[in-house]
Amino acid sequence: MSAVVDVRDISVTYRSTGKTALSGVSLHAEPGELVLVSGPSGCGKSTLLRLLNGLIPHSYRAEVRGQASVGGLTVPGRRIRELSTVVGTVLQDPARQVVGTTVRGDLAFGLENLGLSRAEIRRRIGEVAERIGLTHLLDRPTAWLSGGEVQLVAFAGVLAMRPKVVVVDEPLANLDPAASLRLLRELRRFADEGGTAVVVEHRVEELLE
């Protein structure tokens, strides 16, 4: 089985600081795998995710050496829009990516950008809301959500786009244990159904539990 995430001897140096955040890193992940990337603060974990989802070099200017591809698309060099149909990202602070005023509106945002029909958008929203357990929240203002609910909404919005790969940055950073466990269970389910998940987290013991 071919790797969905294929990173070979990648080095990344930020142009603004001249700092080399990654040096000679390789990573291979196949469909059905959930990969944990761990290490102390400043070791380059978030840089790796930025490479995979296209934020490097489009939002973070950097010199990249080596080879990398995600879902058959070579990175860097692809536009973020192209990669967004293959790679879904849940940020460490998911409130930064929840842009709709209601849960329903937020779940529709990415699908509308794909140019899907209204009927298809409604269908996908219904499916992902039922899957994640958000049906009762669809008409709730996003400003009224708890931290755990915001993270689940962000993840649901990613799943609605039907990516091959989901990357998650520090899922345990700001959540209570129950909310964290719920998200991790959904990530495991995503991988069990043939997706590929890459999780950055320095609290290894908590995550493995």
Side-chain angles (χ1 to χ4, degrees):
M1 188 176 296
S2 60
V4 177
V5 177
D6 190 6
V7 177
R8 303 186 184 188
D9 197 27
I10 280 286
S11 296
V12 176
T13 302
Y14 288 104
R15 293 179 180 172
S16 60
T17 63
K19 177 184 177 181
T20 297
L22 293 176
S23 180
V25 171
S26 296
L27 171 67
H28 307 279
E30 298 181 354
E33 287 192 322
L34 193 159
V35 178
L36 169 64
V37 179
S38 186
S41 297
C43 74
K45 302 186 302 296
S46 294
T47 296
L48 178 62
L49 295 195
R50 292 168 186 165
L51 176 75
L52 297 180
N53 63 21
L55 290 179
I56 290 177
H58 299 292
S59 297
Y60 297 86
R61 301 298 179 184
E63 179 184 350
V64 180
R65 298 180 301 279
Q67 298 179 330
S69 66
V70 183
L73 300 180
T74 301
V75 293
R78 297 283 182 169
R79 296 179 180 177
I80 294 177
R81 180 180 176 84
E82 290 180 272
L83 287 170
S84 68
T85 62
V86 177
V87 185
T89 304
V90 181
L91 300 175
Q92 181 175 343
D93 180 7
R96 293 171 52 197
Q97 69 187 93
V98 172
V99 296
T101 56
T102 66
V103 172
R104 189 187 305 275
D106 189 76
L107 297 181
F109 179 77
L111 303 176
E112 290 170 346
N113 286 336
L114 291 179
L116 300 180
S117 67
R118 290 186 178 181
E120 177 65 11
I121 290 173
R122 285 194 298 269
R123 187 174 71 81
R124 291 203 191 185
I125 289 175
E127 287 180 354
V128 77
E130 183 175 357
R131 173 190 177 114
I132 305 297
L134 299 174
T135 302
H136 65 295
L137 297 177
L138 283 176
D139 295 315
R140 181 172 297 182
T142 52
W144 294 2
L145 299 176
S146 68
E149 289 168 342
V150 168
Q151 192 167 46
L152 288 173
V153 168
F155 182 54
V158 165
L159 287 187
M161 304 277 283
R162 297 182 178 173
K164 294 180 180 179
V165 180
V166 171
V167 297
V168 186
D169 193 5
E170 301 279 1
L172 305 183
N174 301 305
L175 295 183
D176 62 81
S180 298
L181 181 60
R182 189 175 176 189
L183 175 67
L184 293 174
R185 283 175 174 169
E186 289 300 331
L187 283 169
R188 178 71 267 175
R189 182 181 175 187
F190 171 74
D192 288 343
E193 293 174 351
T196 303
V198 179
V199 180
V200 158
E201 180 61 67
H202 70 276
R203 288 180 286 190
V204 177
E205 292 183 0
E206 292 180 47
L207 189 133
L208 291 179
E209 288 176 2

